Amino acid sequence: MFSKKLMLVLSVLLLIVLAACGGAPAVEEVQKVEEPAATEAAVEEAQVSETQEVKEEAPVVEVAEPSGSRLETVKARGKLICGGNANLAGFGVLADDGTFSGFDIDYCKAVAVAIFGVADDSTLEIRPLSASDRPIALQTNEIDVLIRNTTWTTSRDTEWSADFGPTTFYDGQGMMVLKSSGITDLQGLEGGSVCVQSGTTTELNLADQMSAAGVNYEPKVYPDAPTTLAAYQEGTCDGFTTDKSGLISQMQELENPDDHVILAVTMSKEPLGPAYAHGDNAWGDLVDWTVYCTIGAEELGITSENVEDIAGSSADPVVLRMLGGEGDLGTGLGVDNDFCVKVIKEVGNYEEIYNRNLGPDTPFNVPRGLNDLWTNGGLLYSPPFR
Amino acid sequence: MTTATNIEQAYEAPPRSEVGVLGWLKRNLFGSVIDSVLTIISVSLLVWLVPAFLNWAFTTANWASVTTNKIILMQGPYPQGETWRVFFSAGIVAIMAVISLFVYKTDNKRLRQTMTLVWVASPVVLWYILAGFENSALLPKVDYSRWGGLLLTFVLAIFGIIASFPLGVLLALGRRSDLPIIRWLSTAYIEMVRGVPLITVLFMAQVMLPLVLPADARVPGMFRAMVAMALFSAAYLAENVRGGLQAIPKGQSEAAEAIGLNKFQEMYLIIMPQALRTVIPPLVGQFIGLFKDTSLVAIVGLLDLLGIGKSILSQAGFLQAQKEVYLFIALIYFVFSFAMSSTSIRLEKKLGVGQR
């Protein structure tokens, strides 16, 4: 009796399985090729900021050029698929209401708005990716655009067969020390120790910078960001190093943030920005100019609150060209002529995006620094809309 | 009569130190010098650790990290307007479980068979409730990339279990087959899969599979993980089942042949039921392992229970809540693993594993 029942269950399950995994065997054919990825990714996943990760070995793959532009594909699909991060504070996080939010996610939204006029469930899908998934997701066209705290480097530009858009966030490695130590530069760490996360470019940069500065120090290496910070808090090391944006946010988590100071020195360059598949200029143009729209709007003082008024009333040809009241710049990019109005209305200009995710009202309170307009001594600069 | 009285007198009450609480303590905790030392060390450790833990849990711990995120822990980025579908599905399973408790105790064979059929059909029904349909007002389509949290953990584990079981049985039979090609292929598959870690199989499924599929074939990451876990688990399961098959004496199949059963009937009616009964403990062990292994998909970017935990730790305000979040997740894994384990023990008792 038992056996019959069992065999019945068994045969039904078998049917389900056979129905479900028709194309399955492909997995095992390929599974022996890429083992190092596991350890590298495991290390990377432990980090808070993946701008500092070990450079992963991206398999170089020739992907056939799609016949039309990605823009046409996205429009036909009715939905933008944006590769994002689900666990980097301030940049890409799953909020308690089940939606993604963050600085990078807002740029995903901006691109979706530029194409469709709105960014909601039906027009934008955020696909959370791990650091090692992202080149493949880009190369295989699984995602349309990658906006996932990705540092623009030569090898990524070439080996990933990716193109990088305008940098949206300029980051760099910094060093935190106790105020009471009186240390003001790297030389001050002579004979001291530095807490650093293992397996990161941060660790390599630290070694490079310290040897260049001729400083003898002892690196104390920890497997992930929280452990590293905890070790520093317990006084195990004299200094603590990671990306400056990370330092600033993690400083708030220390028991007495005011006892600590971040040194002025910047030990590496980490420009973060959107990336898209190589060789699709029409698509790249749209992503680039969506970013420039947010920067240009800040330059012109256009915000989500006043953008519609300005678009309706302004007589300034510079403003009108950008907002689509004059000329056909938007149409030229393949989207609505007033795409920039919609982007600013829905997502905001650069300052609004920045303040919403990283600004003074957030626990991170990251100073604008390099991420300020060129007119304020930063690096943000939008080419002219004309 | 006198004899009886003498006997009663001969059995004096045992000394107080041998019965009751004292006796139990002496026998179990202070039976020898080593026992006493171990007892003292353990008790001091408990006295030292438990108050510290309780103090942390009730005063310092920031449980808001868990409570404000309970919905995403349960379902991940699944649209919160559709949360009722997740609750509804969980409710159906709970109701089925309660009904089963009674149904499987009755002698009504038809009722029990119906219940079994309901269980078999339920994953498909629940799948459609959760996935929804195109252009449906009541059950709109929910993209697979939005399944997460405990929901995704369960989908991966349940699919892995129900898919790897028949596959594993087939592989076990294949490995014992008289047909060389089938035997070689099964053996090669089993040994190859057992020779690589699960995480590499998951990486292959997430990272390499898209490269060999046609460019327009978008297989959701959840499906890739499901298939990878099932294929991986099947290889281990096959070896468990093979162990059961080898435990069946040759006389059983000879007897089956003697009464005129064909090969299929022999396997289906005689060998398999006995073999599978024997290997229930390792099978359930494998399923519990599979359930917990689903947490590896967090590394390949899926937002399962652990992945959601990592995301919570990136939310402003909960950056330092590792202890609370990971403890809570561990507790959830424990509750379900323990439930599986106790169910298996009940099943073993019912089927008399090890008794006959």
Side-chain angles (χ1 to χ4, degrees):
Chain A
M1 203 277 304
F2 169 71
S3 67
K4 270 189 180 167
K5 205 159 68 187
L6 191 76
M7 292 314 287
L8 178 72
V9 173
L10 201 68
S11 37
V12 174
L13 290 183
L14 185 62
L15 281 178
I16 299 176
V17 173
L18 290 179
C21 48
V27 176
E28 72 230 36
E29 282 167 23
V30 289
Q31 72 199 353
K32 285 208 290 195
V33 188
E34 207 206 25
E35 291 181 23
T39 41
E40 279 189 14
V43 170
E44 284 174 23
E45 283 301 307
Q47 300 171 19
V48 159
S49 164
E50 271 149 346
T51 58
Q52 31 169 287
E53 78 252 354
V54 180
K55 182 175 79 74
E56 57 264 45
E57 299 300 323
V60 182
V61 183
E62 295 302 324
V63 178
E65 289 282 309
S67 47
S69 167
R70 174 52 64 102
L71 181 57
E72 301 311 316
T73 317
V74 174
K75 278 182 178 169
R77 193 195 299 133
K79 188 183 232 182
L80 173 76
I81 301 179
C82 184
N85 198 341
N87 41 30
L88 181 61
F91 285 85
V93 170
L94 184 63
D96 58 11
D97 62 358
T99 61
F100 291 94
S101 66
F103 184 84
D104 283 346
I105 305 293
D106 276 351
Y107 273 102
C108 290
K109 288 180 183 166
V111 177
V113 171
I115 302 167
F116 301 111
V118 282
D120 58 21
D121 279 358
S122 62
T123 60
L124 172 63
E125 178 185 328
I126 304 290
R127 183 151 306 169
L129 294 170
S130 69
S132 50
D133 283 351
R134 57 191 168 172
I136 313 285
L138 203 58
Q139 288 161 356
T140 56
N141 296 330
E142 191 180 321
I143 54 174
D144 302 315
V145 59
L146 175 73
I147 311 183
R148 187 200 176 282
N149 51 285
T150 307
T151 306
W152 182 5
T153 66
T154 320
S155 62
R156 285 176 180 175
D157 217 332
T158 54
E159 287 167 23
W160 282 13
S161 10
D163 281 346
F164 280 81
T167 298
T168 52
F169 190 90
Y170 291 92
D171 210 342
Q173 188 178 340
M175 176 79 72
M176 179 158 60
V177 295
L178 267 173
K179 253 181 202 163
S180 56
S181 69
I183 296 171
T184 55
D185 52 20
L186 292 183
Q187 275 74 18
L189 284 161
E190 175 68 38
S193 58
V194 177
C195 282
V196 61
Q197 197 181 325
S198 66
T200 59
T201 48
T202 315
E203 188 187 357
L204 306 176
N205 278 330
L206 176 69
D208 290 353
Q209 295 286 326
M210 290 300 232
S211 74
V215 179
N216 294 309
Y217 76 108
E218 182 196 357
K220 294 200 172 166
V221 180
Y222 297 89
D224 56 43
T227 338
T228 319
L229 184 69
Y232 170 72
Q233 167 136 344
E234 282 155 17
T236 316
C237 325
D238 301 306
F240 169 57
T241 181
T242 185
D243 285 354
K244 276 190 167 175
S245 58
L247 279 182
I248 291 161
S249 59
Q250 293 188 47
M251 197 174 181
Q252 302 308 313
E253 303 295 327
L254 291 168
E255 272 164 26
N256 298 307
D258 294 343
D259 292 354
H260 304 269
V261 62
I262 295 171
L263 301 183
V265 60
T266 299
M267 298 153 77
S268 72
K269 291 193 283 190
E270 310 277 357
L272 315 181
Y276 32 79
H278 185 79
D280 186 347
N281 292 353
W283 177 238
D285 287 347
L286 177 72
V287 175
D288 292 1
W289 285 97
T290 305
V291 175
Y292 288 136
C293 158
T294 64
I295 296 172
E298 190 187 351
E299 289 177 358
L300 295 169
I302 302 171
T303 67
S304 58
E305 291 181 356
N306 65 18
V307 62
E308 283 187 323
D309 293 344
I310 291 181
S313 64
S314 176
D316 183 347
V318 176
V319 171
L320 283 178
R321 272 198 299 273
M322 189 169 98
L323 298 182
E326 202 180 293
D328 54 1
L329 297 179
T331 322
L333 288 169
V335 292
D336 291 345
N337 210 31
D338 61 346
F339 79 102
C340 193
V341 177
K342 294 174 184 160
V343 168
I344 302 303
K345 179 101 182 34
E346 297 290 323
V347 190
N349 67 24
Y350 186 91
E351 185 180 29
E352 289 174 281
I353 295 173
Y354 191 96
N355 286 346
R356 188 183 309 136
N357 298 296
L358 304 163
D361 296 336
T362 67
F364 312 117
N365 192 10
V366 185
R368 288 286 291 266
L370 291 177
N371 299 297
D372 212 332
L373 295 178
W374 59 287
T375 46
N376 299 337
L379 291 174
L380 298 182
Y381 181 102
S382 165
F385 276 76
R386 67 180 308 138
Chain B
M1 285 308 267
T2 42
T3 336
T5 324
N6 285 344
I7 287 170
E8 270 173 30
Q9 281 168 347
Y11 285 100
E12 277 181 32
R16 274 178 57 99
S17 63
E18 298 298 324
V19 291
V21 178
L22 278 181
W24 185 88
L25 282 178
K26 190 176 168 189
R27 270 198 312 281
N28 291 294
L29 299 180
F30 298 98
S32 68
V33 177
I34 292 180
D35 285 0
S36 309
V37 170
L38 286 177
T39 301
I40 290 167
I41 292 176
S42 321
V43 169
S44 353
L45 268 178
L46 284 178
V47 168
W48 179 43
L49 292 176
V50 171
F53 173 76
L54 291 179
N55 183 36
W56 170 79
F58 287 103
T59 59
T60 326
N62 179 12
W63 293 110
S65 51
V66 171
T67 52
T68 59
N69 288 299
K70 53 185 181 295
I71 298 291
I72 64 166
L73 279 167
M74 188 176 76
Q75 63 179 32
Y78 200 86
Q80 297 211 342
E82 307 291 329
T83 300
W84 67 271
R85 284 153 71 169
V86 181
F87 277 105
F88 185 70
S89 308
I92 289 181
V93 174
I95 291 168
M96 279 166 54
V98 171
I99 295 176
S100 299
L101 280 181
F102 296 103
V103 167
Y104 285 114
K105 276 182 188 154
T106 64
D107 290 330
N108 187 334
K109 190 176 170 189
R110 173 154 292 176
L111 201 61
R112 283 182 312 202
Q113 281 175 343
T114 316
M115 194 69 223
T116 307
L117 269 180
V118 170
W119 275 112
V120 170
S122 63
V124 181
V125 176
L126 294 180
W127 176 271
Y128 280 108
I129 292 178
L130 290 165
F133 304 90
E134 293 292 351
N135 306 322
S136 161
L138 179 66
L139 297 173
K141 187 104 183 143
V142 175
D143 200 278
Y144 298 115
S145 69
R146 305 198 60 176
W147 296 37
L150 191 58
L151 169 67
L152 179 61
T153 297
F154 269 117
V155 167
L156 291 173
I158 291 170
F159 178 84
I161 288 169
I162 58 184
S164 66
F165 184 51
L167 210 59
V169 170
L170 287 181
L171 280 169
L173 293 176
R175 194 167 185 175
R176 284 167 57 88
S177 168
D178 295 332
L179 306 168
I181 303 243
I182 292 185
R183 188 172 66 242
W184 292 336
L185 285 178
S186 303
T187 309
Y189 177 82
I190 291 170
E191 293 308 330
M192 197 171 78
V193 172
R194 294 207 311 164
V196 294
L198 175 56
I199 186 69
T200 61
V201 179
L202 284 172
F203 263 102
M204 297 320 302
Q206 295 296 330
V207 175
M208 291 305 284
L209 198 58
L211 297 177
V212 294
L213 288 176
D216 52 346
R218 288 165 187 270
V219 184
M222 183 174 87
F223 284 6
R224 285 184 244 149
M226 282 161 73
V227 171
M229 301 216 57
L231 292 178
F232 184 82
S233 182
Y236 283 81
L237 227 132
E239 288 299 276
N240 288 342
V241 173
R242 193 166 67 94
L245 291 173
Q246 280 171 350
I248 308 301
K250 205 168 186 320
Q252 295 283 334
S253 49
E254 286 168 357
E257 278 164 31
I259 58 171
L261 298 181
N262 64 29
K263 271 280 171 205
F264 178 74
Q265 289 171 321
E266 175 193 327
M267 206 34 92
Y268 176 93
L269 296 171
I270 309 289
I271 308 293
M272 240 343 138
Q274 300 186 71
L276 289 181
R277 205 194 62 205
T278 318
V279 294
I280 285 176
L283 281 189
V284 175
Q286 172 67 30
F287 291 154
I288 292 177
L290 177 67
F291 174 65
K292 291 184 294 183
D293 283 349
T294 57
S295 58
L296 286 173
V297 302
I299 296 174
V300 293
L302 292 184
L303 292 170
D304 75 321
L305 188 58
L306 187 67
I308 294 291
K310 288 165 69 173
S311 195
I312 291 174
L313 293 176
S314 316
Q315 290 176 358
F318 299 135
L319 296 173
Q320 296 289 80
Q322 288 96 2
K323 295 191 203 75
E324 293 86 345
V325 170
Y326 287 134
L327 196 68
F328 179 76
I329 288 173
L331 192 69
I332 292 185
Y333 276 112
F334 172 77
V335 166
F336 288 107
S337 302
F338 188 71
M340 283 163 88
S341 172
S342 1
T343 313
S344 128
I345 289 171
R346 274 230 302 279
L347 190 63
E348 283 168 39
K349 277 192 184 142
K350 194 173 162 192
L351 301 176
V353 176
Q355 304 297 311
R356 47 179 177 157

